[in-house]
């Protein structure tokens, strides 16, 4: 799997979570399309095929990166 900038992962996770909430409450075609686009991008960068799996992988990668950062700063 390619190394992805943590800032990109954070941004994609936030975008997907926000759009998912809006899609659940709004359901407009525009929000749904934006969620599909964001989901596709997050799945590509995490090497997954579904949003929940992509979010899980991204969160794990971000947590691992934070833990490594703590090791180097302690």
């Amino acid at each position: 799997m390619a190394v992805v900038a943590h800032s990109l992962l954070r941004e994609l996770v936030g975008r997907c979570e926000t759009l998912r909430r809006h899609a659940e409450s709004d359901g407009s075609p525009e929000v749904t399309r934006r969620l599909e686009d964001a989901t596709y991008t997050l799945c590509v960068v995490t090497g997954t095929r579904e949003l929940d799996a992509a979010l899980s992988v991204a969160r794990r990668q971000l947590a691992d990166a934070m833990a490594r950062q703590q090791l180097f700063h302690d």
Side-chain angles (χ1 to χ4, degrees):
M1 182 182 325
V3 175
V4 179
H6 301 122
S7 59
L8 174 61
L9 276 180
R10 276 191 297 278
E11 193 274 326
L12 286 170
V13 167
R15 186 184 317 165
C16 285
E17 289 173 337
T18 298
L19 287 168
R20 180 191 266 181
R21 282 192 302 275
H22 287 216
E24 289 170 355
S25 65
D26 177 321
S28 74
E30 174 64 18
V31 170
T32 300
R33 185 195 58 75
R34 290 175 56 206
L35 176 58
E36 289 170 353
D37 290 346
T39 297
Y40 174 81
T41 303
L42 186 59
C43 285
V44 168
V45 300
T46 58
T48 60
R49 293 178 181 245
E50 296 180 358
L51 179 56
D52 288 333
L55 288 169
S56 178
V57 168
R59 288 180 186 127
R60 187 171 44 252
Q61 288 177 358
L62 290 169
D64 291 348
M66 287 178 60
R68 282 191 305 275
Q69 231 176 11
Q70 288 291 61
L71 286 175
F72 291 121
H73 291 294
D74 286 345

